[in-house]
Amino acid sequence: MSENSAAEYEQFGPIAVITMNNPPVNGLGLALRSAIVALVDRALADPQVSAIVLTGGEKIFSAGADIREFGEQKQASAPTLHDVIEVVEACSKPVVAAIAGACLGGGLELAMGCHFRVARSDASLGLPEVKLGLLPGAGGTQRAPRLLGVERALNLIVSGEPERAKNFAGTALLDEVVDGSVLDAAVAFARSVVDGKLAPKRARDIKIDDPHAEPLLQFARTTVAAASRQFPAPLQCVEAVGHAVSKRFDEGLRLEREIFMGLMATPESKALRHIFAAERAVSKLPDVPADTPLRDIRRVGVIGAGTMGGGITMTFADAGIPVVLLETKQEALDRGIENIRRNYAASMKKGKLTQAQYDQRLALIEPTLDYAALADVDLVIEAVFEEMSVKREVFGRLDAIAKPGAILASNTSMLDLNEIASYTKRPQDVIGLHFFSPANVMRLLEIVRGAKTAPDVLATCMNLARRIRKTAVVAGVCEGFIGNRMIERYGAASNLLMAQGASPQQVDGALQRFGLAMGPFRMNDLAGLDIASAARKRKAASDPSSQGRVVADVLCEMGRLGQKTGSGWYRYEAGKRDAIQDPVVDTIIEQFRRENGITVRKISDQEVIERCIYALVNEGARILEDGIAARASDIDVVYLSGYGFPRHRGGPMLYADTVGLPNVVRALRRFAAEPGAEAWWEPAPLLVKLAEAGRSFN
Ligand code: T1G
């Protein structure tokens, strides 16, 4: 066998086997592309070789183009993926793809360029480019319709969802679907091609003759356009498939390439590629080696059966992890269990859960009033009242009861984790696991590392987050960690805009058009105005310089706490969630402006966006300066998975990069220069430094 760094060559009689070898996923980077071409040429030049098998081995074929090359010269350097596929397809000797594991994007396009394809039944075949804001740019939109028919090709390309190889059995996409070694099967298949003197079959030669093609495409255009307003790629996918139907192959290929290059340059694709990389970077902790040994988490304890404790309990039960749920009073415990039961019953009613899954989850939950029941759990998460005296009592008891090596976690959203850790003799085992309500639904989990949290505790919780299907971001200890610390500035900015002349519905409307799932005032009504009001009062008691009485306090005093009381910033019809403008609130706002001598001014939607989003970005820069977040893209992940930030903008920090940091700095300086402006409008030093150096956050 001859070793080439990115691919290997081996001969079995008249069959040459080329095995791609570019860990971790055989990304089709320049080195691998060059190796494949060189080894196909070697097989062509060898008269002993009658056929070629191209494979990635028994674990993975290829995850497609090497995303790390995107935007770099390498991506366009010859041999491009197009060149490689052309070499394979034009090869005079039959080329058989042997597919196991992931065969995605450019990987499947390469396989479709081969003359025959043999796949293991459980292999995963897909064209996920649309999830990166792209389309299959190496012939996928032209070959897939020829091999699968227009309808199946459209579904595969527009959904971006992979399917098991067995689903393609009997189509021209796969010549054989096997169990066991796909390499043995492919070599045997190649021999049969040689013995049978079968000519190489080329997808490009298949004519599409589907009378339903046009109506299908028309239907796809309408449905896709409606479903993907903020993303150009899905509709372009349909157009490219349309070219496969109406144009000659090479013309269709050219048009596909044109569309692909256009999509590569869109901000939406840059945002989605950024998110792809960001969601993988979060688990990399500079000072925690990837091979840090993990503690075994087999059984978990949750203290507190309220909304958060119940949601956290469900999160572990959903992941099949046994949970001991502790409360201090029987009726609180019963209420907590009843809420969990009701939530699962509702999921069952919606068909999201079977009766068996319902029973299995409830069987995993052990309610108790006795701390001793936590003696042998591997991790305890407290979700008790947000009061330091209560945390102190709980952690003192945990320290005495929990077994050595158990991880003690607090779900606190605002309190100082280092102080909490100091109430135990094992601060190295203490960590923050900040879930977002409802905990069994929200993907975001902020993992708060204390000054003394041990690296293996951190690594264990990062790994656990994957098991409970959470997107975990590590935060340092500060008030509000990452998400809530930034949302506080965003809320203050929206309140300032409202006080100075923008109505709550103007602020919400502008931000919702920007792409936020919900504007700040509607979000306040959903969360409840009393929570923030109580936090403000607590802060004012200890820090007289903090923000004074605001309109929300007036609304609270009137009992307008938000959706839960039928009115807050908006009015709500019984049982409905539609936010209806309420003239009572307009009067209160006008009165507040008069009492505070505020001159009302006309405010543009652009200013609403700039003030609210740049307030987030500026605080994000400070969070980076303070070392609370390891990287800017972590902050983006927090906002995308926990605060409904629009994915087509990639997160607040990427959005700032897209706007251009000098423009962000200029706007912040304008806001800071206004009479009476809060000091935090001053652009953060890091932001200024990057802007002046012509650099970006990411
Ligand atoms: N290129 C480079 N690296 C990749 C990669 C890729 N395509 N896919 C994954 N990785 C890295 C990833 O960053 C991580 O790195 C490691 O592999 C494990 O990934 C012309 C242009 C294959 C199903 O969109 O869906 O082809 O963190 O954590 O959960 O038409 O990765 O270890 O340093 O996700 O087991 C189209 C994307 C490309 C497939 C494996 N292909 N990848 O999932 O591991 S565009 C995709 C995935 C294209 C052509 C176009 C998944 C996976 P690190 P992971 P996983």
Side-chain angles (χ1 to χ4, degrees):
M1 172 178 9
S2 97
E3 290 266 325
N4 178 311
S5 62
E8 291 152 16
Y9 189 93
E10 201 168 353
Q11 207 166 325
F12 297 89
I15 313 296
V17 176
I18 298 172
T19 305
M20 295 182 276
N21 176 26
N22 182 24
V25 294
N26 284 336
L28 292 159
L30 179 57
L32 178 51
R33 299 198 302 266
S34 308
I36 295 171
V37 170
L39 296 178
V40 167
D41 286 348
R42 173 175 168 183
L44 272 174
D46 182 344
Q48 301 300 316
V49 170
S50 317
I52 299 166
V53 169
L54 175 62
T55 183
E58 301 287 357
K59 286 204 171 51
I60 182 167
F61 186 77
S62 164
D66 192 327
I67 295 177
R68 291 167 294 200
E69 283 188 355
F70 280 1
E72 289 181 21
Q73 178 47 38
K74 270 184 174 179
Q75 183 193 10
S77 301
T80 64
L81 188 49
H82 265 279
D83 298 336
V84 176
I85 293 172
E86 221 167 280
V87 162
V88 164
E89 193 168 56
C91 185
S92 56
K93 297 178 181 177
V95 182
V96 181
I99 301 169
C103 177
L104 302 171
L108 182 54
E109 292 176 294
L110 174 59
M112 290 193 286
C114 296
H115 305 125
F116 303 96
R117 284 160 295 280
V118 175
R120 225 190 26 229
S121 59
D122 62 353
S124 165
L125 278 62
L127 294 168
E129 289 88 339
V130 71
K131 294 181 177 178
L132 297 172
L134 302 168
L135 54 64
T141 64
Q142 306 303 305
R143 290 189 179 87
R146 286 173 164 79
L147 292 168
L148 286 173
V150 174
E151 186 169 13
R152 279 201 79 173
L154 270 174
N155 290 339
L156 194 66
I157 294 165
V158 173
S159 72
E161 287 305 318
E163 289 187 45
R164 291 277 167 236
K166 60 184 171 226
N167 296 0
F168 297 111
T171 70
L173 178 65
L174 295 179
D175 298 278
E176 255 193 17
V177 177
V178 300
D179 292 313
S181 162
V182 71
L183 198 48
D184 295 349
V187 170
F189 186 90
R191 282 181 193 283
S192 68
V193 168
V194 171
D195 299 346
K197 298 192 177 30
L198 296 184
K201 268 187 319 160
R202 304 191 314 174
R204 59 175 297 139
D205 298 335
I206 298 172
K207 284 270 157 294
I208 297 178
D209 176 15
D210 177 349
H212 306 295
E214 256 328 302
L216 256 175
L217 288 162
Q218 201 37 47
F219 175 73
R221 284 189 192 96
T222 322
T223 44
V224 167
S228 57
R229 279 187 324 286
Q230 282 146 352
F231 291 97
L235 202 49
Q236 292 296 334
C237 287
V238 178
E239 290 317 316
V241 171
H243 295 323
V245 174
S246 59
K247 304 276 190 319
R248 286 183 313 96
F249 184 83
D250 289 320
E251 177 61 1
L253 216 51
R254 186 186 66 75
L255 292 167
E256 173 197 85
R257 192 93 199 116
E258 229 170 67
I259 297 172
F260 177 81
M261 296 313 286
L263 287 171
M264 272 291 280
T266 58
E268 292 81 3
S269 179
K270 287 176 184 162
L272 290 174
R273 295 184 332 247
H274 166 71
I275 294 170
F276 178 88
E279 286 178 343
R280 284 157 181 79
V282 282
S283 56
K284 294 182 177 59
L285 307 172
D287 57 344
V288 178
D291 58 357
T292 302
L294 307 178
R295 296 189 192 181
D296 207 359
I297 305 291
R298 280 184 310 271
R299 213 154 162 268
V300 171
V302 173
I303 304 179
T307 313
M308 287 311 290
I312 295 169
T313 300
M314 290 176 70
T315 300
F316 285 95
D318 292 346
I321 300 172
V323 195
V324 178
L325 177 57
L326 170 75
E327 252 297 352
T328 46
K329 293 195 186 61
Q330 189 63 50
E331 42 95 32
L333 184 58
D334 295 346
R335 196 169 50 243
I337 293 294
E338 188 43 39
N339 284 341
I340 291 171
R341 204 187 293 280
R342 199 177 312 119
N343 281 334
Y344 280 141
S347 300
M348 209 163 45
K349 207 158 152 233
K350 288 181 212 151
K352 289 185 185 164
L353 215 57
T354 62
Q355 181 65 51
Q357 289 167 327
Y358 172 91
D359 299 338
Q360 181 248 351
R361 280 162 170 73
L362 287 176
L364 285 166
I365 300 169
E366 180 197 328
T368 180
L369 296 172
D370 181 2
Y371 259 86
L374 299 178
D376 69 341
V377 299
D378 308 299
L379 159 72
V380 185
I381 304 169
E382 60 79 12
V384 298
F385 190 62
E386 276 289 86
E387 196 54 63
M388 192 52 94
S389 57
V390 179
K391 307 289 187 190
R392 176 178 195 147
E393 195 259 335
V394 165
F395 275 80
R397 291 188 70 173
L398 279 179
D399 200 25
I401 282 171
K403 70 182 180 185
I407 294 175
L408 311 181
S410 169
N411 174 55
T412 182
S413 59
M414 302 292 272
L415 301 175
D416 182 336
L417 186 84
N418 292 325
E419 184 181 342
I420 291 174
S422 71
Y423 297 139
T424 73
K425 289 191 265 324
R426 44 175 134 176
Q428 73 283 358
D429 295 340
V430 176
I431 195 165
L433 293 181
H434 178 219
F435 290 83
F436 284 72
S437 185
N440 55 308
V441 173
M442 294 300 285
R443 278 175 48 217
L444 179 61
L445 172 65
E446 279 181 326
I447 295 182
V448 187
R449 67 183 300 180
K452 296 181 178 159
T453 302
D456 70 319
V457 169
L458 205 49
T460 301
C461 290
M462 286 304 289
N463 178 271
L464 181 66
R466 258 201 287 278
R467 283 173 64 191
I468 59 175
R469 302 166 59 79
K470 294 296 177 191
T471 299
V473 180
V474 174
V477 175
C478 71
E479 188 167 331
F481 313 130
I482 297 173
N484 287 345
R485 173 169 159 180
M486 286 168 67
I487 204 80
E488 195 170 320
R489 296 293 185 223
Y490 171 84
S494 57
N495 272 304
L496 178 141
L497 289 159
M498 179 268 299
Q500 292 187 2
S503 66
Q505 41 282 9
Q506 181 193 354
V507 173
D508 284 351
L511 288 162
Q512 281 157 203
R513 283 188 292 278
F514 173 81
L516 266 296
M518 193 178 272
F521 294 100
R522 282 189 58 206
M523 203 159 80
N524 280 183
D525 272 0
L526 182 67
L529 276 62
D530 46 336
I531 296 175
S533 184
R536 264 194 305 279
K537 287 200 178 94
R538 260 204 310 273
K539 207 162 175 194
S542 60
D543 166 13
S545 70
S546 69
Q547 186 178 31
R549 202 166 124 81
V550 291
V551 173
D553 298 326
V554 178
L555 295 174
C556 280
E557 284 146 22
M558 294 169 68
R560 297 177 67 109
L561 306 184
Q563 275 186 24
K564 60 188 173 187
T565 56
S567 71
W569 289 104
Y570 297 93
R571 192 168 52 75
Y572 300 86
E573 303 291 349
K576 292 244 179 81
R577 295 174 158 239
D578 309 294
I580 304 164
Q581 182 177 347
D582 188 341
V584 170
V585 174
D586 300 338
T587 314
I588 292 166
I589 292 173
E590 276 147 31
Q591 192 178 339
F592 179 84
R593 289 167 180 160
R594 268 199 309 280
E595 284 166 5
N596 290 276
I598 295 168
T599 13
V600 174
R601 64 187 175 87
K602 191 150 175 34
I603 293 172
S604 69
D605 282 3
Q606 179 57 24
E607 182 183 348
V608 171
I609 302 299
E610 287 184 351
R611 280 201 182 259
C612 293
I613 305 300
Y614 294 175
L616 280 183
V617 172
N618 204 23
E619 199 57 30
R622 292 199 176 93
I623 283 172
L624 288 170
E625 283 165 352
D626 297 349
I628 297 297
R631 54 186 79 80
S633 59
D634 282 10
I635 294 171
D636 286 335
V637 172
V638 165
Y639 265 78
L640 290 159
S641 50
Y643 292 81
F645 201 87
R647 289 178 68 84
H648 68 280
R649 298 196 190 267
M653 309 310 270
L654 186 83
Y655 176 68
D657 288 343
T658 311
V659 167
L661 299 190
N663 297 323
V664 177
V665 168
R666 204 163 154 272
L668 287 167
R669 282 186 169 141
R670 199 170 63 243
F671 301 149
E674 285 176 0
E678 301 271 4
W680 51 261
W681 282 112
E682 276 301 327
L686 172 64
L687 180 52
V688 174
K689 195 171 88 190
L690 291 173
E692 287 172 354
R695 288 176 52 208
S696 62
F697 282 120
N698 290 294

